[in-house]
């Protein structure tokens, strides 16, 4: 509270009042490393693959990025809040299976299935958050448990109810075409087709950025991830914040799941395993710290974009895809190292 | 505080149930769904034993992953034959070679009356299969392992030669006048997949390009095929190696503005419908139902009558090329999950 009184002759100013240059401000952004990486990947593939720069390719790359990006947003928020969700990949499949099977078995309008699926998926999110806060076990264990249980339920229930391992087609049912418009349609802009998932993705990134930077809940997320005990001491509802974050993951899994169902109208019950890691990779490449308290929603979008550009760029460049995973791993390491380095530099110059 | 949160969970569960009920009552669909299915089939005849041989136990161990459509159909065939032959049918699977071998070992230890195994990773199965043969258990290999089957001591092999199936595809593509085809592999490192594409390459007069996609991520499969079709306009045929991926390829071709014909290995209800509608060119079926059914039936024949089929050569269940004309009668069978 008192103004700093330094020794005579020395200019002592509160560090919070120091003027920061725009460059320093830029360097402090968590997504900086990933943006540099994204530009590098873009230029790289633009040079080596002829068809990479075609407008139609843009639509495809953005589609690939959006299906990952929709999930990377809540996963990034969750990581900022200091937790993991290993069940996010299969939860997408669960969500699609629930709406498909409910509509089919009840001969209900597709929209009813979509609604039921939202509630069931959110309930699974609440379950994750509730188990986490109640048992105080690490989220790694809790969501690993949910991951395995959901994988089993997806297979077991689908087979029990449908008699086969994939769902029956619901394309001929009422409400299908209107639901498809919302979750799996495409817009043609200038002769190029863009999937509606791209809009969902951009909307979610904007929403998450607003929540993170402009709302009280956003402050809570950073506080909870930075140090739960300290956050609790200043009155942050730690448990509610974490449950809310898991519900966010569930909500986005629902959107992804409905896209999966409505664009292919039949769902394979074994799908989704392994995708949870891709979401985490996108968030980490985008500047989220594994330890929590640092990161951004925009960063997760850039991470997903890098992922989309790399996976499709290799196809455009007609390369041997055996090396794709290696490329991805190297990218992950580089992005993380770059982030760590930048953060250290920024903190040192403060 | 805790009680309040428990209440929240309860409220969510309650809301799900409430919505489920109202949904069932109010938001009905007058088309499709289970009601339509029930109406279609009156009462499917339940299988009953047709013989009075002792209740033998037959176990099947495959290399299938979780939730694979193909193996689901194999099991359906096996179960149907087991019901007819008064056989107690057991099934286990693992896509890890070591675990598959352990499963075989445990059935041998259990003393089953017959064993059906797949040899997708033959070297890893060798010891286990030989142990079973030594213990006097008749072994039949299915689906993969035609070359090793006899050497390991199995009675016979039932399945499709993947290379032969690929060759049939290559010939069919030639017949359709295709110049450049795409072979979409949805599992990197799967020997059978490589053989299928290699077989196609062997007989196909045009150029064949392999494309690897991530089979567990359907949107990614679609985007990858789309990307390939955009970058290579000469492709006039896309061959997928599994039925679920055919639809993704159809959609990819549509969004890429490609006129390429989509063809596929294996069959399911959706493929049958698409063949009928003409959105797919042809499907090459290896009749998985037959692989399960025949394997169980042959074990019964061997135990009952010491019959062996094939004369030391593999008994082929495919490839059967299915086009628009054949698809009509297969839709119904594919829908009930036996084709």
């Amino acid at each position: 509270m008192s103004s700093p009184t330094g020794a005579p002759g020395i200019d002592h100013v509160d560090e919070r009042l120091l003027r920061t240059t725009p460059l320093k401000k830029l360097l402090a952004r968590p997504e900086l490393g990933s943006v540099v990486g994204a530009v590098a990947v873009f230029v790289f593939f633009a040079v080596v693959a002829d068809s990479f720069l075609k407008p139609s390719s843009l639509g495809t790359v953005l589609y690939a990025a959006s299906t990952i990006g929709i999930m990377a947003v809540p996963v990034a928020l969750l990581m900022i809040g200091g937790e993991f969700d290993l069940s996010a990949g299969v939860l997408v499949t669960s969500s699609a299976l629930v709406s498909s099977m409910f509509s089919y078995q009840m001969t209900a309008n597709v929209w009813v299935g979509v609604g039921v699926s939202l509630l069931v998926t959110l309930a699974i999110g609440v379950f994750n958050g509730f188990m986490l806060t109640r048992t105080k076990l690490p989220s790694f264990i809790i969501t690993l448990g949910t991951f395995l249980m959901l994988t089993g339920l997806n297979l077991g229930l689908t087979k029990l109810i449908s008699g086969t391992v994939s769902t029956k087609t619901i394309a001929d049912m009422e409400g299908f075409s209107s639901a498809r418009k919302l979750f799996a349609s495409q817009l043609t802009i200038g002769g190029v087709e863009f999937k509606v998932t791209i809009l969902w993705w951009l909307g979610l990134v904007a929403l998450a950025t607003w929540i993170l930077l402009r709302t009280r809940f956003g402050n809570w997320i950073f506080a909870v991830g930075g140090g739960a005990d300290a956050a609790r001491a200043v009155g942050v509802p730690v448990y509610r914040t974490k449950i809310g974050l898991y519900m966010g993951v569930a909500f986005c899994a629902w959107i992804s799941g409905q896209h999966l169902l409505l664009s292919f109208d039949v769902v394979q019950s074994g799908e989704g395993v392994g995708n949870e890691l891709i979401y985490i990779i996108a968030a980490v490449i985008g500047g989220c710290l594994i330890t929590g308290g640092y990161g951004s929603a925009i960063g997760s979008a850039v991470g997903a974009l890098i992922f989309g550009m790399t996976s499709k760029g290799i196809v455009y460049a007609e390369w041997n895809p055996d090396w794709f995973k290696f490329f991805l791993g190297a990218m992950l390491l580089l992005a993380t190292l770059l982030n760590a380095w930048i953060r250290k530099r920024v903190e040192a110059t403060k | 505080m805790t009680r309040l949160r428990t209440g929240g969970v309860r409220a969510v569960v309650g809301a799900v149930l409430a919505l489920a009920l109202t949904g069932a009552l109010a938001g009905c669909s007058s088309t499709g769904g289970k009601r339509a299915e029930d109406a279609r089939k009156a009462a499917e005849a339940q299988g009953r034993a047709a013989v009075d041989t002792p209740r033998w136990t037959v176990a099947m161990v495959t290399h299938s992953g979780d939730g694979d459509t193909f193996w689901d159909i194999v099991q359906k065939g096996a179960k149907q034959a087991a019901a007819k032959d008064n056989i107690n049918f057991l099934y286990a699977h693992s896509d890890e070679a070591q675990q598959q071998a352990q499963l075989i070992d445990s059935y041998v230890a259990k003393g089953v009356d017959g064993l059906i195994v797949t040899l997708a990773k033959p070297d890893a199965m060798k010891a286990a299969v030989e142990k079973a043969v030594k213990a006097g258990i008749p072994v039949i290999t299915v689906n993969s392992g035609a070359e090793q089957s006899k050497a390991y001591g199995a009675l016979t092999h039932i399945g499709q030669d993947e290379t032969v199936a690929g060759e049939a595809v290559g010939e069919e593509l030639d017949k359709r006048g295709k110049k450049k085809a795409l072979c979409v592999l949805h599992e990197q490192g799967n020997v059978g997949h490589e053989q299928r594409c290699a077989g196609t390459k062997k007989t196909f007069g045009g150029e064949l390009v392999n494309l690897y996609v991530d089979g567990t991520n359907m949107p990614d499969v679609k985007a990858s095929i789309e990307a390939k079709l955009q970058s290579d306009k000469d492709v006039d045929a896309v061959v997928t190696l599994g039925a679920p991926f055919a639809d993704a390829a159809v959609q990819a071709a549509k969004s890429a503005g490609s006129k390429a014909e989509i063809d596929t290995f294996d069959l399911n209800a959706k493929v049958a419908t698409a063949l009928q509608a003409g959105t797919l060119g042809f499907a090459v079926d290896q009749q998985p139902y037959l692989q399960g059914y025949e394997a169980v039936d042959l074990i019964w024949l061997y135990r009952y009558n010491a019959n062996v089929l094939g004369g030391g050569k593999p008994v082929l269940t495919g490839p059967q090329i299915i086009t628009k004309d054949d698809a009509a009668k297969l839709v119904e069978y594919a829908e009930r999950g036996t084709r």
Side-chain angles (χ1 to χ4, degrees), chain B residues 63-111:
Chain B
H63 66 274
S64 159
D66 283 335
D68 190 301
T69 321
F70 182 91
W71 289 104
D72 200 47
I73 302 174
V74 174
Q75 270 186 77
K76 279 221 167 73
K79 277 182 187 156
Q80 196 101 52
K84 184 200 70 176
D85 293 339
N86 192 27
I87 277 175
N88 175 28
F89 178 71
L90 306 172
Y91 179 80
H93 69 97
S94 172
D95 47 8
E96 299 281 328
Q98 195 190 359
Q99 283 185 40
Q100 198 196 340
Q102 284 168 5
L103 288 168
I104 298 175
D105 281 343
S106 53
Y107 280 132
V108 172
K110 197 178 150 70

Side-chain angles (χ1 to χ4, degrees), chain A residues 47-338:
Chain A
V47 172
V48 298
D50 318 329
S51 36
F52 190 72
L53 284 180
K54 279 188 198 153
S56 58
S57 309
L58 182 72
T60 309
V61 167
L62 282 179
Y63 172 55
S66 69
T67 53
I68 295 159
I70 287 176
M71 285 307 289
V73 169
V75 167
L77 257 55
L78 186 68
M79 280 178 75
I80 297 171
E83 304 294 346
F84 273 110
D85 190 349
L86 295 179
S87 66
V90 276
L91 187 55
V92 171
T93 313
S94 306
S95 178
L97 288 171
V98 168
S99 36
S100 169
M101 287 197 289
F102 190 89
S103 300
Y104 187 87
Q105 296 299 327
M106 299 292 169
T107 320
N109 190 300
V110 170
W111 282 102
V112 178
V114 169
V116 170
S117 169
L118 175 63
L119 293 176
V120 173
T121 315
L122 282 178
I124 297 169
V126 171
F127 172 81
N128 270 336
F130 185 72
M131 286 296 284
L132 178 87
T133 51
R134 204 65 199 286
T135 63
K136 302 208 171 54
L137 286 170
S139 58
F140 185 87
I141 299 296
I142 300 283
T143 59
L144 187 63
T146 320
F147 161 74
L148 292 171
M149 288 195 291
L150 284 181
T151 313
L153 278 176
N154 283 356
L155 280 175
L157 279 181
T158 308
K159 203 148 173 208
L160 195 70
I161 294 171
S162 308
T164 58
V165 290
S166 62
T167 62
K168 305 261 168 73
T169 177
I170 55 161
D172 55 349
M173 297 180 68
E174 276 171 20
F176 182 82
S177 55
S178 55
R180 183 176 229 174
K181 276 207 184 79
L182 182 62
F183 289 105
S185 61
Q186 47 208 7
L187 322 158
T188 314
I189 303 168
V192 183
E193 277 183 356
F194 292 97
K195 285 275 173 189
V196 73
T197 46
I198 300 169
L199 291 182
W200 278 103
W201 177 36
L202 296 180
L204 284 170
V205 171
L207 177 70
T209 306
W210 177 75
I211 288 176
L212 269 181
L213 301 180
R214 290 275 178 272
T215 68
R216 201 159 54 144
F217 188 69
N219 278 331
W220 291 350
I221 297 174
F222 279 110
V224 163
D229 292 332
R232 191 177 287 110
V234 295
V236 172
V238 174
Y239 288 178
R240 261 202 287 157
T241 308
K242 291 199 169 173
I243 293 178
L245 286 172
Y246 275 105
M247 287 177 75
V249 175
F251 178 73
C252 294
W254 173 72
I255 296 174
S256 291
Q258 303 318 300
H259 170 69
L260 186 69
L261 168 65
L262 292 160
S263 56
F264 298 104
D265 88 60
V266 169
V267 188
Q268 300 287 319
S269 55
E271 261 188 53
V273 177
N275 287 354
E276 62 283 342
L277 286 179
I278 292 174
Y279 308 144
I280 293 174
I281 291 172
V284 171
I285 290 182
C288 285
L289 274 191
I290 301 260
T291 46
Y294 187 79
S296 73
I298 296 174
S300 80
V302 181
L305 190 64
I306 291 183
F307 203 98
M309 285 196 294
T310 313
S311 62
K312 299 302 154 269
I314 286 179
V315 177
Y316 287 123
E318 308 195 349
W319 278 352
N320 187 339
D322 294 352
W323 296 92
F324 172 61
K325 291 272 162 66
F326 174 83
F327 204 73
L328 208 63
M331 193 100 70
L332 179 66
L333 274 183
L334 274 178
T336 320
L337 283 174
L338 189 63

Side-chain angles (χ1 to χ4, degrees), chain B residues 136-195:
Chain B
I137 299 172
V139 178
I140 286 181
T141 59
V142 292
N143 184 261
S144 39
E147 296 93 60
Q148 294 83 5
S149 175
K150 204 177 169 189
Y152 292 2
L155 294 180
T156 185
H157 177 84
I158 300 163
Q160 161 184 267
D161 187 310
E162 299 293 10
T163 314
V164 172
E167 286 167 6
V169 170
E171 281 159 17
E172 183 71 22
L173 287 173
D174 270 341
K175 213 192 285 172
R176 287 160 183 263
K178 299 299 171 194
K179 296 278 169 277
K180 185 165 188 182
L182 204 61
C183 200
V184 183
L185 299 95
H186 56 267
E187 218 179 282
Q188 276 198 46
N190 182 317
V191 183
H193 288 185
E194 299 286 348
Q195 284 171 343

Side-chain angles (χ1 to χ4, degrees), chain B:
Chain B
M1 187 107 177
T2 357
R3 173 163 297 177
L4 201 105
R5 264 195 299 282
T6 325
V9 176
R10 255 188 227 138
V12 170
V13 174
V16 170
L17 290 177
L19 205 119
L21 282 175
T22 44
L25 294 174
C28 284
S29 167
S30 57
T31 51
K34 178 137 167 72
R35 200 177 297 159
E37 182 188 327
D38 289 344
R40 249 193 326 267
K41 52 174 187 185
E44 200 175 304
Q46 277 297 314
R48 243 180 312 126
V51 293
D52 55 1
T53 45
R55 193 157 175 81
W56 290 315
T57 297
V58 171
M60 182 182 222
V61 183
T62 72
H63 66 274
S64 159
D66 283 335
D68 190 301
T69 321
F70 182 91
W71 289 104
D72 200 47
I73 302 174
V74 174
Q75 270 186 77
K76 279 221 167 73
K79 277 182 187 156
Q80 196 101 52
K84 184 200 70 176
D85 293 339
N86 192 27
I87 277 175
N88 175 28
F89 178 71
L90 306 172
Y91 179 80
H93 69 97
S94 172
D95 47 8
E96 299 281 328
Q98 195 190 359
Q99 283 185 40
Q100 198 196 340
Q102 284 168 5
L103 288 168
I104 298 175
D105 281 343
S106 53
Y107 280 132
V108 172
K110 197 178 150 70
V112 292
D113 301 296
L115 199 55
I116 302 161
V117 297
T118 64
L119 302 180
K121 289 120 184 171
D123 296 330
M125 298 307 124
K126 188 167 190 266
V129 170
E130 282 173 352
K131 198 197 269 176
V133 172
K134 219 169 160 191
I137 299 172
V139 178
I140 286 181
T141 59
V142 292
N143 184 261
S144 39
E147 296 93 60
Q148 294 83 5
S149 175
K150 204 177 169 189
Y152 292 2
L155 294 180
T156 185
H157 177 84
I158 300 163
Q160 161 184 267
D161 187 310
E162 299 293 10
T163 314
V164 172
E167 286 167 6
V169 170
E171 281 159 17
E172 183 71 22
L173 287 173
D174 270 341
K175 213 192 285 172
R176 287 160 183 263
K178 299 299 171 194
K179 296 278 169 277
K180 185 165 188 182
L182 204 61
C183 200
V184 183
L185 299 95
H186 56 267
E187 218 179 282
Q188 276 198 46
N190 182 317
V191 183
H193 288 185
E194 299 286 348
Q195 284 171 343
R196 286 178 172 185
C197 290
T200 309
K201 198 167 202 158
K202 209 158 115 192
T203 51
F204 181 41
E207 191 189 344
L208 186 83
V209 187
N210 284 4
L211 176 72
Y212 295 84
V213 296
D214 179 7
T216 59
N217 187 345
M218 207 54 103
D220 186 70
V221 172
K222 184 188 163 232
S224 290
I225 300 174
E226 202 176 299
K228 183 70 197 174
L229 289 175
Q230 282 162 354
S231 67
D232 198 341
K233 294 283 179 199
D234 297 337
V235 173
D236 54 5
V238 178
V239 181
T240 56
L241 298 191
F245 306 99
D247 184 48
V250 169
Q251 293 192 25
K254 213 166 122 197
S255 11
S258 166
K259 293 226 163 15
E261 177 186 277
I262 314 296
D263 307 306
T264 186
F265 281 84
D266 299 346
L267 196 68
N268 67 12
K270 220 168 164 194
V271 167
T273 327
L275 281 170
Q276 210 180 355
T279 42
L280 288 182
F282 67 90
V284 47
D285 191 17
Q286 61 168 311
Q287 311 192 78
Y289 183 85
L290 210 49
Q291 292 181 2
Y293 188 95
E294 284 299 308
V296 170
D297 215 26
L298 286 182
I299 296 253
W300 181 85
L301 278 168
Y302 180 77
R303 290 223 80 110
Y304 175 70
N305 210 26
N307 285 130
V308 180
L309 204 63
K313 292 256 164 57
V315 180
L316 297 185
T317 58
Q320 186 191 22
I321 301 258
I322 297 163
T323 56
K324 191 172 183 169
D325 309 328
D326 324 301
K329 62 173 180 284
L330 296 185
V331 170
E332 184 193 341
Y333 305 149
E335 260 168 13
R336 71 179 183 198
T338 58
R339 270 312 288 260

